[in-house]
Amino acid sequence: MWLSPRFWCGAALTLATAFVAGGAAGEPLHYTLDSAHSWVQFELLHFGTSTIRGRLGPAKGYVELDRASGQGSVGIEIATGSVDTGIKPFDARIRRPDLLDTDANPTAWFISRQLQFDGERLVSLRGELTLRGTSQPLTLTATRFACHDDAITRRQICGGDFEAEIKRSDFGMHFGLPLVGDAVRLRVQVEGVRADR
């Protein structure tokens, strides 16, 4: 997800939004991730039979976008200890040192400075994911993205769904291979609130 994670530490990072709607040309737009609507779900194969599913979050984040140039930066911060599969003993196992290692690595980051568009439609975010202290390139592909003006807050809200796949072994998580799948499907749900109006 790549700048250094330390650069983003403390700044809640936002994902999803090449938030292109609104704002005058050349005026940077700023969004803050809404933690009530921003989560990361994961899926991986279990013993070649069923699919293990869980989630992490809520996510913290921000987006800055220069609409005129199509450039900006996006970041997401996730607490690894928040893992929730619905089975508490399983969650505790996933937090151990040979998997998420949440005591030594309590935070994961995604950071992108490459926002790709098809016209004004956000297509993907190319960046870097840092997990367990290891950083790897990652592209989040947008499956949907939209903006609207909220009647209650009178602020613009943008959000969407994004997908990617990683190999957990690339981040040092080898426990259970090959009986438990290496490929992990990520589904990222985010909404951001415009902070500059």
Side-chain angles (χ1 to χ4, degrees):
M1 314 180 141
W2 191 212
L3 299 176
S4 166
R6 290 186 178 86
F7 178 83
W8 299 101
C9 197
L13 306 166
T14 173
L15 170 140
T17 54
F19 296 157
V20 295
E27 176 188 346
L29 302 181
H30 306 273
Y31 297 81
T32 300
L33 211 61
D34 177 2
S35 61
H37 297 95
S38 302
W39 297 81
V40 177
Q41 287 83 33
F42 62 89
E43 302 177 354
L44 69 160
L45 193 59
H46 184 249
F47 284 83
T49 54
S50 63
T51 300
I52 297 171
R53 294 182 173 88
R55 70 177 187 172
L56 295 156
K60 299 177 181 179
Y62 82 93
V63 170
E64 289 188 358
L65 177 71
D66 183 338
R67 184 179 179 185
S69 65
Q71 297 180 353
S73 61
V74 172
I76 303 172
E77 179 182 320
I78 296 286
T80 58
S82 67
V83 61
D84 181 7
T85 63
I87 305 170
K88 289 185 178 181
F90 190 36
D91 297 343
R93 181 65 189 84
I94 294 173
R95 293 185 184 106
R96 290 177 62 177
D98 54 0
L99 290 173
L100 286 179
D101 194 14
T102 60
D103 287 343
N105 298 280
T107 308
W109 291 271
F110 174 79
I111 298 171
S112 172
R113 294 177 64 88
Q114 294 180 290
L115 285 57
Q116 295 193 317
F117 299 88
D118 180 1
E120 288 198 345
R121 182 175 64 89
L122 177 62
V123 174
S124 66
L125 305 172
R126 288 186 178 179
E128 183 174 271
L129 172 64
T130 300
L131 178 64
R132 287 175 45 94
T134 297
S135 297
Q136 295 284 342
L138 182 70
T139 297
L140 291 174
T141 301
T143 59
R144 66 177 51 82
F145 182 82
C147 300
H148 73 276
D149 289 327
D150 185 76
I152 298 174
T153 64
R154 297 185 179 180
R155 290 187 177 184
Q156 184 183 77
I157 295 176
C158 295
D161 295 320
F162 296 76
E163 294 185 349
E165 186 171 284
I166 63 171
K167 288 187 176 180
R168 61 187 179 95
S169 59
D170 288 344
F171 298 89
M173 293 182 282
H174 299 95
F175 176 81
L177 294 174
L179 298 177
V180 178
D182 193 16
V184 180
R185 170 65 56 178
L186 301 177
R187 302 182 188 277
V188 183
Q189 158 205 346
V190 295
E191 290 188 13
V193 180
R194 186 169 167 183
D196 56 348
R197 78 173 193 184

